[in-house]
Amino acid sequence: MDSRQPSRLRSTAAIDGHPLHPLLVAFPIAFLIGALLTDLAFQGTGDAFWARASAWLIGSGLVSGALAAVAGFVDFIANEHIRSLSLVWYHFIGNAIALALSAVSLYLRLSGDALSVTGTELLLSILVVVIFAVTGWLGGEMVFRHGVGMAGERSSVGGRLQPKGSNPNEGRS
């Protein structure tokens, strides 16, 4: 696969060539990292506010994660070139696991004592953030190394992908 031709790896879930998945992933990442931070705040203070905040953040992370997943899945299912990258599969499966763990965590919180954070719930938050660290790195690899979701044809100049025609030395002998 020629990494200088990312147009084969264009995002299908896009508005005017701008992929939606990278835009949407910021929300679940922020919400679910925030849930870990509020879980830690509860552990440090015992204040029930932090336990309630964690539940809300996890719920928000699940809703926004579902939206990001739909956009990512559209790209995944609609483009065989994207599916052919092994990184994409790890990214896809890892994020699905992170959202499933978040759903389990929210279920435990809502079915148990919603005014506290158990060790299991804290462990689930830690696992989700660790998984997001790995899948986020893989997402960056897909975009910056393989050009997934990049609009138009690009040429590689100095190790960076740049719009074709933006190199002042292009076309000169």
Short mmCIF file of all heavy atoms in Angstrom, two decimals, residues 48-87:
data_model
loop_
_atom_site.label_atom_id
_atom_site.label_comp_id
_atom_site.label_asym_id
_atom_site.label_seq_id
_atom_site.Cartn_x
_atom_site.Cartn_y
_atom_site.Cartn_z
N ALA A 48 -19.69 12.35 48.21
CA ALA A 48 -20.61 11.69 47.28
C ALA A 48 -20.78 12.48 45.98
O ALA A 48 -21.15 11.90 44.94
CB ALA A 48 -21.96 11.48 47.93
N PHE A 49 -20.51 13.77 46.00
CA PHE A 49 -20.58 14.57 44.78
C PHE A 49 -19.73 13.94 43.68
O PHE A 49 -20.15 13.86 42.53
CB PHE A 49 -20.10 16.01 45.04
CG PHE A 49 -19.82 16.77 43.78
CD1 PHE A 49 -20.86 17.34 43.05
CD2 PHE A 49 -18.52 16.90 43.29
CE1 PHE A 49 -20.61 18.03 41.87
CE2 PHE A 49 -18.27 17.58 42.11
CZ PHE A 49 -19.31 18.15 41.40
N TRP A 50 -18.52 13.50 44.04
CA TRP A 50 -17.61 12.95 43.05
C TRP A 50 -18.13 11.63 42.48
O TRP A 50 -17.95 11.34 41.30
CB TRP A 50 -16.21 12.78 43.63
CG TRP A 50 -15.59 14.09 44.02
CD1 TRP A 50 -15.28 14.50 45.28
CD2 TRP A 50 -15.25 15.17 43.13
NE1 TRP A 50 -14.75 15.78 45.23
CE2 TRP A 50 -14.72 16.21 43.93
CE3 TRP A 50 -15.34 15.36 41.76
CZ2 TRP A 50 -14.28 17.41 43.40
CZ3 TRP A 50 -14.89 16.55 41.22
CH2 TRP A 50 -14.37 17.56 42.04
N ALA A 51 -18.79 10.83 43.29
CA ALA A 51 -19.37 9.57 42.81
C ALA A 51 -20.49 9.86 41.82
O ALA A 51 -20.60 9.20 40.77
CB ALA A 51 -19.89 8.75 43.99
N ARG A 52 -21.34 10.84 42.13
CA ARG A 52 -22.41 11.21 41.20
C ARG A 52 -21.83 11.80 39.91
O ARG A 52 -22.30 11.49 38.81
CB ARG A 52 -23.37 12.22 41.85
CG ARG A 52 -24.28 11.59 42.90
CD ARG A 52 -25.39 12.53 43.35
NE ARG A 52 -24.95 13.86 43.74
CZ ARG A 52 -24.53 14.21 44.95
NH1 ARG A 52 -24.51 13.31 45.92
NH2 ARG A 52 -24.16 15.44 45.22
N ALA A 53 -20.81 12.63 40.05
CA ALA A 53 -20.16 13.21 38.87
C ALA A 53 -19.60 12.11 37.98
O ALA A 53 -19.72 12.16 36.74
CB ALA A 53 -19.06 14.18 39.28
N SER A 54 -18.99 11.09 38.57
CA SER A 54 -18.45 9.98 37.79
C SER A 54 -19.54 9.27 37.00
O SER A 54 -19.36 8.96 35.82
CB SER A 54 -17.76 8.95 38.71
OG SER A 54 -16.57 9.47 39.24
N ALA A 55 -20.67 9.02 37.63
CA ALA A 55 -21.77 8.34 36.94
C ALA A 55 -22.24 9.18 35.75
O ALA A 55 -22.48 8.64 34.65
CB ALA A 55 -22.92 8.06 37.89
N TRP A 56 -22.39 10.47 35.94
CA TRP A 56 -22.82 11.35 34.84
C TRP A 56 -21.78 11.38 33.73
O TRP A 56 -22.12 11.37 32.55
CB TRP A 56 -23.09 12.77 35.35
CG TRP A 56 -24.44 12.90 35.97
CD1 TRP A 56 -24.74 12.88 37.30
CD2 TRP A 56 -25.68 13.05 35.28
NE1 TRP A 56 -26.09 13.01 37.48
CE2 TRP A 56 -26.69 13.12 36.26
CE3 TRP A 56 -26.02 13.13 33.94
CZ2 TRP A 56 -28.04 13.26 35.93
CZ3 TRP A 56 -27.37 13.28 33.61
CH2 TRP A 56 -28.35 13.34 34.60
N LEU A 57 -20.50 11.44 34.09
CA LEU A 57 -19.45 11.47 33.09
C LEU A 57 -19.40 10.16 32.30
O LEU A 57 -19.21 10.17 31.08
CB LEU A 57 -18.09 11.75 33.75
CG LEU A 57 -17.89 13.19 34.20
CD1 LEU A 57 -16.68 13.30 35.12
CD2 LEU A 57 -17.72 14.11 32.99
N ILE A 58 -19.59 9.04 32.97
CA ILE A 58 -19.60 7.76 32.27
C ILE A 58 -20.80 7.67 31.34
O ILE A 58 -20.68 7.25 30.18
CB ILE A 58 -19.56 6.58 33.26
CG1 ILE A 58 -18.21 6.57 33.97
CG2 ILE A 58 -19.81 5.26 32.55
CD1 ILE A 58 -18.14 5.63 35.16
N GLY A 59 -21.96 8.10 31.80
CA GLY A 59 -23.14 8.11 30.93
C GLY A 59 -22.92 8.99 29.71
O GLY A 59 -23.23 8.60 28.58
N SER A 60 -22.34 10.16 29.92
CA SER A 60 -22.04 11.07 28.81
C SER A 60 -21.00 10.46 27.88
O SER A 60 -21.08 10.60 26.65
CB SER A 60 -21.55 12.41 29.33
OG SER A 60 -22.54 13.02 30.13
N GLY A 61 -20.02 9.79 28.46
CA GLY A 61 -18.99 9.12 27.66
C GLY A 61 -19.57 8.02 26.79
O GLY A 61 -19.16 7.82 25.65
N LEU A 62 -20.54 7.29 27.35
CA LEU A 62 -21.18 6.22 26.57
C LEU A 62 -22.00 6.77 25.41
O LEU A 62 -21.94 6.25 24.29
CB LEU A 62 -22.05 5.36 27.48
CG LEU A 62 -21.28 4.39 28.38
CD1 LEU A 62 -22.20 3.79 29.43
CD2 LEU A 62 -20.60 3.32 27.56
N VAL A 63 -22.76 7.82 25.66
CA VAL A 63 -23.59 8.41 24.59
C VAL A 63 -22.69 9.00 23.50
O VAL A 63 -22.87 8.72 22.31
CB VAL A 63 -24.54 9.48 25.16
CG1 VAL A 63 -25.21 10.27 24.04
CG2 VAL A 63 -25.59 8.83 26.06
N SER A 64 -21.70 9.80 23.90
CA SER A 64 -20.82 10.40 22.89
C SER A 64 -19.93 9.35 22.24
O SER A 64 -19.61 9.45 21.06
CB SER A 64 -19.99 11.53 23.51
OG SER A 64 -19.19 11.05 24.58
N GLY A 65 -19.57 8.31 23.00
CA GLY A 65 -18.79 7.21 22.43
C GLY A 65 -19.57 6.44 21.39
O GLY A 65 -19.02 5.99 20.37
N ALA A 66 -20.86 6.29 21.61
CA ALA A 66 -21.71 5.62 20.62
C ALA A 66 -21.76 6.42 19.33
O ALA A 66 -21.69 5.85 18.22
CB ALA A 66 -23.12 5.41 21.18
N LEU A 67 -21.85 7.74 19.43
CA LEU A 67 -21.85 8.59 18.23
C LEU A 67 -20.52 8.49 17.49
O LEU A 67 -20.49 8.36 16.26
CB LEU A 67 -22.15 10.04 18.60
CG LEU A 67 -23.54 10.33 19.13
CD1 LEU A 67 -23.65 11.76 19.63
CD2 LEU A 67 -24.59 10.05 18.06
N ALA A 68 -19.41 8.54 18.23
CA ALA A 68 -18.09 8.42 17.62
C ALA A 68 -17.93 7.04 16.99
O ALA A 68 -17.35 6.90 15.90
CB ALA A 68 -17.00 8.67 18.65
N ALA A 69 -18.46 6.02 17.66
CA ALA A 69 -18.36 4.65 17.14
C ALA A 69 -19.13 4.50 15.84
O ALA A 69 -18.66 3.82 14.92
CB ALA A 69 -18.87 3.67 18.19
N VAL A 70 -20.28 5.14 15.74
CA VAL A 70 -21.06 5.06 14.49
C VAL A 70 -20.26 5.67 13.35
O VAL A 70 -20.13 5.06 12.27
CB VAL A 70 -22.44 5.75 14.65
CG1 VAL A 70 -23.10 5.96 13.30
CG2 VAL A 70 -23.33 4.94 15.57
N ALA A 71 -19.68 6.83 13.56
CA ALA A 71 -18.87 7.47 12.51
C ALA A 71 -17.67 6.61 12.16
O ALA A 71 -17.35 6.42 10.97
CB ALA A 71 -18.43 8.87 12.96
N GLY A 72 -16.99 6.08 13.16
CA GLY A 72 -15.85 5.21 12.90
C GLY A 72 -16.25 3.93 12.19
O GLY A 72 -15.56 3.46 11.29
N PHE A 73 -17.39 3.38 12.58
CA PHE A 73 -17.86 2.13 11.97
C PHE A 73 -18.25 2.35 10.52
O PHE A 73 -18.01 1.48 9.67
CB PHE A 73 -19.03 1.54 12.76
CG PHE A 73 -19.41 0.17 12.30
CD1 PHE A 73 -18.60 -0.92 12.55
CD2 PHE A 73 -20.59 -0.04 11.60
CE1 PHE A 73 -18.94 -2.19 12.10
CE2 PHE A 73 -20.94 -1.29 11.15
CZ PHE A 73 -20.11 -2.38 11.40
N VAL A 74 -18.82 3.50 10.20
CA VAL A 74 -19.17 3.80 8.81
C VAL A 74 -17.89 3.81 7.97
O VAL A 74 -17.84 3.22 6.88
CB VAL A 74 -19.94 5.14 8.69
CG1 VAL A 74 -20.01 5.62 7.25
CG2 VAL A 74 -21.33 5.00 9.30
N ASP A 75 -16.84 4.46 8.47
CA ASP A 75 -15.56 4.46 7.74
C ASP A 75 -15.02 3.04 7.62
O ASP A 75 -14.53 2.63 6.56
CB ASP A 75 -14.53 5.33 8.47
CG ASP A 75 -14.83 6.81 8.37
OD1 ASP A 75 -15.62 7.20 7.50
OD2 ASP A 75 -14.26 7.56 9.18
N PHE A 76 -15.09 2.30 8.69
CA PHE A 76 -14.57 0.93 8.75
C PHE A 76 -15.29 0.01 7.77
O PHE A 76 -14.66 -0.71 7.00
CB PHE A 76 -14.73 0.42 10.19
CG PHE A 76 -14.35 -1.01 10.40
CD1 PHE A 76 -13.03 -1.36 10.61
CD2 PHE A 76 -15.32 -2.00 10.44
CE1 PHE A 76 -12.67 -2.68 10.82
CE2 PHE A 76 -14.97 -3.32 10.65
CZ PHE A 76 -13.63 -3.66 10.84
N ILE A 77 -16.59 0.06 7.77
CA ILE A 77 -17.37 -0.88 6.96
C ILE A 77 -17.40 -0.47 5.49
O ILE A 77 -17.49 -1.32 4.60
CB ILE A 77 -18.81 -1.06 7.53
CG1 ILE A 77 -19.39 -2.40 7.11
CG2 ILE A 77 -19.72 0.06 7.15
CD1 ILE A 77 -18.77 -3.57 7.76
N ALA A 78 -17.30 0.83 5.20
CA ALA A 78 -17.47 1.31 3.83
C ALA A 78 -16.19 1.32 3.01
O ALA A 78 -16.25 1.53 1.80
CB ALA A 78 -18.07 2.72 3.86
N ASN A 79 -15.05 1.10 3.64
CA ASN A 79 -13.80 1.22 2.90
C ASN A 79 -12.90 0.01 3.18
O ASN A 79 -12.35 -0.11 4.26
CB ASN A 79 -13.09 2.52 3.29
CG ASN A 79 -11.90 2.83 2.41
OD1 ASN A 79 -11.14 1.95 2.04
ND2 ASN A 79 -11.73 4.10 2.10
N GLU A 80 -12.76 -0.85 2.18
CA GLU A 80 -11.97 -2.06 2.37
C GLU A 80 -10.49 -1.74 2.59
O GLU A 80 -9.78 -2.51 3.23
CB GLU A 80 -12.17 -3.05 1.24
CG GLU A 80 -11.39 -2.74 -0.02
CD GLU A 80 -11.56 -3.81 -1.07
OE1 GLU A 80 -12.58 -3.77 -1.78
OE2 GLU A 80 -10.68 -4.67 -1.19
N HIS A 81 -10.01 -0.62 2.07
CA HIS A 81 -8.61 -0.23 2.28
C HIS A 81 -8.37 0.11 3.75
O HIS A 81 -7.32 -0.20 4.29
CB HIS A 81 -8.24 0.95 1.38
CG HIS A 81 -8.31 0.63 -0.08
ND1 HIS A 81 -7.47 -0.26 -0.70
CD2 HIS A 81 -9.17 1.06 -1.03
CE1 HIS A 81 -7.79 -0.35 -1.98
NE2 HIS A 81 -8.82 0.45 -2.20
N ILE A 82 -9.34 0.74 4.38
CA ILE A 82 -9.22 1.04 5.81
C ILE A 82 -9.25 -0.27 6.59
O ILE A 82 -8.42 -0.50 7.47
CB ILE A 82 -10.32 2.01 6.26
CG1 ILE A 82 -10.07 3.41 5.68
CG2 ILE A 82 -10.40 2.06 7.79
CD1 ILE A 82 -11.15 4.43 5.97
N ARG A 83 -10.17 -1.15 6.26
CA ARG A 83 -10.27 -2.45 6.96
C ARG A 83 -9.02 -3.29 6.79
O ARG A 83 -8.73 -4.16 7.61
CB ARG A 83 -11.49 -3.24 6.47
CG ARG A 83 -12.79 -2.78 7.04
CD ARG A 83 -13.91 -3.79 6.76
NE ARG A 83 -13.99 -4.27 5.40
CZ ARG A 83 -14.60 -3.64 4.40
NH1 ARG A 83 -15.19 -2.48 4.62
NH2 ARG A 83 -14.62 -4.16 3.18
N SER A 84 -8.28 -3.07 5.73
CA SER A 84 -7.09 -3.89 5.46
C SER A 84 -5.93 -3.56 6.40
O SER A 84 -4.99 -4.34 6.50
CB SER A 84 -6.65 -3.73 4.00
OG SER A 84 -6.08 -2.46 3.79
N LEU A 85 -5.97 -2.44 7.09
CA LEU A 85 -4.92 -2.09 8.05
C LEU A 85 -5.15 -2.82 9.37
O LEU A 85 -6.21 -2.68 9.97
CB LEU A 85 -4.91 -0.58 8.31
CG LEU A 85 -4.57 0.33 7.13
CD1 LEU A 85 -4.80 1.78 7.52
CD2 LEU A 85 -3.13 0.12 6.71
N SER A 86 -4.16 -3.57 9.83
CA SER A 86 -4.34 -4.30 11.09
C SER A 86 -4.54 -3.35 12.27
O SER A 86 -5.27 -3.68 13.20
CB SER A 86 -3.15 -5.23 11.34
OG SER A 86 -1.95 -4.50 11.44
N LEU A 87 -3.93 -2.17 12.21
CA LEU A 87 -4.11 -1.19 13.30
C LEU A 87 -5.58 -0.84 13.50
O LEU A 87 -6.01 -0.61 14.63
CB LEU A 87 -3.37 0.11 12.97
CG LEU A 87 -1.86 0.11 12.93
CD1 LEU A 87 -1.36 1.47 12.46
CD2 LEU A 87 -1.29 -0.24 14.27
#
